[in-house]
Amino acid sequence: MANKQMKRSIVPYIFLSLFMIGIIFMFDNLNHKVNQLTYDEFTTLVETKKVKKISIEPNSSAGIYVISGTAKGYQQGEKFVVRVPLSDDVVSTLLDYQSTYSFKMDTKSDPSSNMLLLILVNVLPIVIIGGLVVFVITRQVGTNNKSMDFGKSRARLNSDKNKVTFDDVAGLDEEKEEVQELIDFLKEPKKFQQLGARIPKGVLLVGPPGTGKTLLARAVAGEANVPFYFISGSDFVELFVGVGASRVRDMFRQAKHNAPCLIFIDEIDAVGRQRGTGLGGGHDEREQTLNQLLTEMDGFGANEGIIIIAATNRPDVLDPALLRPGRFDRQVTVNLPDIKGREEILKVHAKNKTFAKNIKLSSIAKRTVGFSGADLENLLNEAALLAVRKNKKAITMIDIDEAHDRVLMGPAKKSHKYTEKEKKTVAYHEAGHAVIGLCLEGANEVQKITIVPRGNAGGYNLMLPKEETYLSTKGELLDTISGLLGGRVAEEIVFKEITTGAHNDFEKATKIARSMVTEYGMSDLGPIQLEHQESSVFLGRDYNKSRNFSSQVAFEIDQEQRKIINECYEKAKKIISKNMDLLELIANSLLERETLTKEEIDYLYKNKKLPTEDELQDMKYENMNVEELRDLARQKQIKNYSKMTKDELIKELED
């Protein structure tokens, strides 16, 4: 690096020196007057004894003698030059003149007879000047030499150092089975060809962000042990029309030389969007790139042994021609993991971390409903950072709890001070949510309550479904709305006043109620879908919703939506009014401890008081399954624990 900087600093001085030499040489020539004489004028000078000194230089290439010299009366630096043909016997004549008129005479060798000297005098300056010009141009272009590689593919070949296998991918069992055929084909293509089977040319991985689409594609390449090219959809899009199409051609050309191989295109919606859409019409560069991709995947040319895997979380915007059989003819949906999948993912990310002995990944998986694989990795990483910050030797459950809250709501604002009135209002608000969750069967289960501010929220109530299901009944949705309205109801009943703290609850409740009326057919308007997202999503997700109904129906939708919210509000008011003692108990407990766990809330509901530390420990045992209890008994070295029942294990652990 230092040598490059030194060269850069020397180059300007070299150019300056050459420039100064040229200037000096030019002025030197201006100061030296040269008189061009004929041979007769020269002989006249000789005969009048005015010549002081002459030099004779033959030039065989020009066929002349060059005679130069000085004469009397010439100023300093002034000289004469005479050119005489080689055929004349000039040398002998001048020798006679020298003996008669007494002047000095020198003879020089013919420069054309010395090839080396000729090259040095005539060729070398041109080479030096040309070299300097080329050097300057390349230095200028070198700062942006990528401009010469517009048409080159940006796809990069994955190295063996970053090799990923199915062992590194957890929670995607069905998805692995779907892509297993690709691995078998890449390993043994003849087995498929014998039966006339055609392997999919393209596989589209669809799913929410962070679910492991890219990781799954890398695992396919790792299992098949074939070259793996990866590129982003945005790498094809360029300012100049035709560049993206050229990159597609170059990418497939490279892939053909390394077939069989895999090409992975991440975020393919950047280049694969439907053609001719948007407010301003099409986009020539992107559409030409897409056309070239379509041709390469299934056109006149054959791309044997090349399998394309692409990933996107917006399949609705892709061009239909891209999804037809022969191109991306298989779609694999990579959904958010269930509880089993989350536990497997946590095991993968927990390999290089040190946990306390009482940590149960299964219990963490239960509390992380809706988390993707990336979210779970971030959760454990945040917990590890918190443990390091506190100089701990292992990650404890306290660190994981705090990391969970930080991921969902942001860091706790411990320096923020409530007024007593605000603190009491937040406590009753969160207690209202908890009462509805405890008393309504279909409402979400309360996992944790805190009145410590986090993010933009003054308090935080973690409520999760009692069971993970794919379907929700109308009753469950209504109970969920009631639970969301419980905070505002508690404020109104206790303080006879309402605050702005329920705005996020109203947003969620209104969204559920609107969907029940317009999408799920769960209202008096009947089983009909009244709203849906139109296909032209390029105008914005909610800019152009399709509303195929009259203004009268729109009025009825608003009425049904308001009816659902009002009925749920009245239902929440009746439940809280009926359970005021429980509301007061939870609110006062929050004011005392600021944070309540699920075990403490359940104990409050049953026993109308906060549990002691021993009672809380007993409840934790009750909430554990047999396998977790046996694992804990093994750690505490209890004999014959493997043959004990759950009650026997709890009794031994309590003792």
Side-chain angles (χ1 to χ4, degrees):
M1 193 70 176
N3 292 334
K4 288 183 179 179
Q5 291 178 351
M6 185 173 69
K7 289 178 181 177
R8 290 176 182 175
S9 61
I10 291 174
V11 169
Y13 292 104
I14 293 175
F15 281 109
L16 182 61
S17 301
L18 292 173
F19 179 74
M20 294 299 295
I21 290 171
I23 294 294
I24 293 170
F25 181 76
M26 183 180 68
F27 277 103
D28 186 61
N29 288 336
L30 291 174
N31 293 330
H32 290 73
K33 185 178 179 181
V34 178
N35 299 315
Q36 301 288 340
L37 303 180
T38 64
Y39 186 72
D40 291 337
E41 292 174 340
F42 169 67
T43 55
T44 301
L45 280 176
V46 172
E47 291 173 353
T48 56
K49 297 183 179 182
K50 291 183 178 181
V51 175
K52 293 181 178 180
K53 179 181 178 181
I54 64 171
S55 63
I56 306 170
E57 181 180 341
N59 191 336
S60 58
S61 61
I64 60 173
Y65 282 109
V66 178
I67 303 171
S68 60
T70 58
K72 293 178 181 178
Y74 278 18
Q75 297 178 358
Q76 185 177 2
E78 187 178 359
K79 67 178 181 178
F80 62 83
V81 174
V82 183
R83 290 176 174 81
V84 183
L86 285 174
S87 57
D88 297 343
D89 192 7
V90 176
V91 177
S92 59
T93 303
L94 290 175
L95 288 172
D96 293 339
Y97 280 157
Q98 183 187 22
S99 60
T100 304
Y101 298 108
S102 300
F103 56 81
K104 294 181 180 180
M105 185 175 68
D106 295 329
T107 57
K108 296 182 180 179
S109 60
D110 187 357
S112 61
S113 63
N114 191 337
M115 292 301 297
L116 179 61
L117 181 62
L118 181 67
I119 292 172
L120 289 175
V121 172
N122 297 307
V123 179
L124 187 61
I126 298 174
V127 172
I128 293 174
I129 294 172
L132 290 173
V133 171
V134 172
F135 175 75
V136 172
I137 293 174
T138 53
R139 282 296 300 274
Q140 293 296 323
V141 176
T143 57
N144 193 22
N145 54 8
K146 289 186 179 179
S147 61
M148 302 299 180
D149 296 331
F150 271 165
K152 297 293 184 182
S153 171
R154 301 293 175 86
R156 298 175 295 280
L157 186 63
N158 193 41
S159 62
D160 292 336
K161 295 180 180 179
N162 300 323
K163 189 174 180 180
V164 176
T165 63
F166 278 168
D167 294 335
D168 302 308
V169 182
L172 299 175
D173 296 335
E174 292 79 8
E175 290 80 358
K176 290 179 188 177
E177 292 177 5
E178 284 291 316
V179 297
Q180 184 64 44
E181 289 178 1
L182 304 181
I183 300 170
D184 296 338
F185 172 77
L186 291 169
K187 287 182 176 180
E188 299 181 61
K190 293 182 179 179
K191 183 173 69 173
F192 292 83
Q193 294 167 357
Q194 288 174 354
L195 296 177
R198 179 183 63 82
I199 203 69
K201 291 185 179 180
V203 176
L204 184 65
L205 303 179
V206 179
T211 50
K213 299 184 291 295
T214 303
L215 188 65
L216 183 61
R218 291 177 60 190
V220 172
E223 289 287 335
N225 197 24
V226 296
F228 175 66
Y229 291 92
F230 60 97
I231 190 171
S232 172
S234 61
D235 287 334
F236 292 114
V237 182
E238 195 57 72
L239 175 65
F240 304 103
V241 176
V243 173
S246 176
R247 289 176 180 172
V248 171
R249 288 191 294 270
D250 188 63
M251 179 180 70
F252 277 89
R253 180 185 59 78
Q254 292 181 28
K256 287 176 186 177
H257 294 161
N258 293 280
C261 68
L262 279 172
I263 298 176
F264 176 65
I265 305 175
D266 199 10
E267 305 298 345
I268 194 173
D269 52 273
V271 70
R273 288 188 175 189
Q274 189 171 342
R275 290 166 288 185
T277 53
L279 288 172
H283 185 291
D284 286 342
E285 160 60 8
R286 181 174 52 77
E287 291 186 5
Q288 284 195 23
T289 307
L290 175 58
N291 291 337
Q292 187 63 46
L293 182 61
L294 296 175
T295 304
E296 292 288 349
M297 289 188 69
D298 188 22
F300 287 104
N303 289 316
E304 296 296 335
I306 300 175
I307 295 176
I308 302 177
I309 302 178
T312 182
N313 51 19
R314 298 189 65 190
D316 53 324
V317 307
L318 297 180
D319 194 279
L322 198 63
L323 303 177
R324 75 157 175 83
R327 288 175 181 142
F328 285 107
D329 41 14
R330 178 177 294 183
Q331 291 191 28
V332 178
T333 302
V334 186
N335 282 319
L336 294 171
D338 57 11
I339 184 170
K340 180 183 175 184
R342 291 196 298 273
E343 185 174 355
E344 293 175 357
I345 293 170
L346 287 168
K347 287 179 181 177
V348 170
H349 294 303
K351 287 180 180 178
N352 61 341
K353 294 179 176 62
T354 305
F355 290 93
K357 292 183 178 180
N358 63 337
I359 296 294
K360 300 295 178 186
L361 296 179
S362 57
S363 61
I364 301 173
K366 290 178 183 178
R367 298 177 54 189
T368 50
V369 179
F371 275 48
S372 65
D375 293 331
L376 294 170
E377 190 276 335
N378 186 41
L379 172 68
L380 294 186
N381 185 62
E382 284 289 339
L385 292 174
L386 289 169
V388 171
R389 198 177 300 169
K390 297 174 183 177
N391 296 320
K392 293 183 179 180
K393 295 183 179 179
I395 302 170
T396 63
M397 200 63 198
I398 296 174
D399 300 320
I400 293 175
D401 284 338
E402 176 63 22
H404 182 270
D405 294 342
R406 289 171 71 94
V407 169
L408 288 179
M409 302 293 295
K413 297 181 179 179
K414 297 179 181 178
S415 60
H416 180 77
K417 298 297 182 183
Y418 279 129
T419 63
E420 287 300 319
K421 183 179 179 180
E422 282 180 327
K423 189 174 182 179
K424 192 174 182 180
T425 302
V426 172
Y428 275 94
H429 180 102
E430 301 301 336
H433 289 303
V435 169
I436 302 295
L438 291 168
C439 298
L440 274 182
E441 185 65 27
N444 290 337
E445 192 173 31
V446 182
Q447 299 289 330
K448 182 179 181 180
I449 314 173
T450 180
I451 57 173
V452 177
R454 286 183 181 273
N456 294 324
Y460 167 49
N461 197 325
L462 178 61
M463 300 177 72
L464 300 174
K466 293 180 174 66
E467 293 180 349
E468 290 186 51
T469 58
Y470 289 99
L471 299 175
S472 297
T473 65
K474 180 180 179 180
E476 289 172 347
L477 292 175
L478 292 173
D479 287 349
T480 301
I481 294 174
S482 298
L484 290 168
L485 299 175
R488 166 57 69 85
V489 171
E491 292 178 16
E492 184 180 352
I493 292 176
V494 175
F495 301 104
K496 310 300 181 185
E497 191 178 12
I498 55 178
T499 67
T500 59
H503 68 94
N504 187 247
D505 300 329
F506 292 157
E507 180 183 350
K508 295 177 181 177
T510 304
K511 185 176 180 181
I512 296 172
R514 183 83 180 183
S515 298
M516 289 176 67
V517 177
T518 61
E519 296 180 41
Y520 307 148
M522 294 180 177
S523 69
D524 293 341
L525 295 180
I528 182 172
Q529 189 177 51
L530 298 168
E531 288 181 351
H532 65 274
Q533 293 289 341
E534 204 173 47
S535 59
S536 57
V537 294
F538 308 100
L539 305 180
R541 293 187 181 272
D542 299 316
Y543 180 82
N544 198 24
K545 271 190 175 181
S546 177
R547 294 179 171 86
N548 299 318
F549 48 80
S550 65
S551 57
Q552 176 62 32
V553 175
F555 174 70
E556 293 177 5
I557 290 173
D558 292 338
Q559 282 188 316
E560 288 295 321
Q561 181 179 330
R562 190 176 294 109
K563 177 182 175 184
I564 290 173
I565 296 293
N566 289 338
E567 288 178 354
C568 291
Y569 193 87
E570 291 300 321
K571 186 177 182 180
K573 188 178 287 188
K574 289 179 181 178
I575 293 171
I576 291 179
S577 299
K578 187 178 178 181
N579 295 275
M580 284 299 295
D581 293 341
L582 180 61
L583 179 72
E584 294 283 349
L585 183 62
I586 295 175
N588 290 330
S589 300
L590 277 171
L591 291 170
E592 179 183 343
R593 297 193 178 182
E594 291 192 338
T595 300
L596 296 177
T597 63
K598 182 180 183 302
E599 292 80 11
E600 291 172 325
I601 296 167
D602 290 340
Y603 192 90
L604 271 173
Y605 182 59
K606 292 178 182 178
N607 301 287
K608 310 303 179 186
K609 65 175 184 177
L610 280 172
T612 62
E613 288 298 326
D614 292 338
E615 290 171 333
L616 190 60
Q617 186 62 46
D618 294 343
M619 288 188 65
K620 288 183 178 179
Y621 292 149
E622 291 288 345
N623 292 327
M624 290 182 180
N625 57 38
V626 176
E627 293 180 359
E628 291 174 335
L629 289 170
R630 286 176 179 170
D631 190 26
L632 191 59
R634 179 183 57 78
Q635 295 176 13
K636 294 191 175 184
Q637 299 180 350
I638 296 175
K639 297 180 180 180
N640 300 323
Y641 66 88
S642 59
K643 299 180 181 179
M644 294 182 182
T645 63
K646 182 176 180 178
D647 293 335
E648 291 172 342
L649 285 167
I650 291 173
K651 185 177 180 181
E652 288 291 333
L653 289 168
E654 289 175 352
D655 295 341

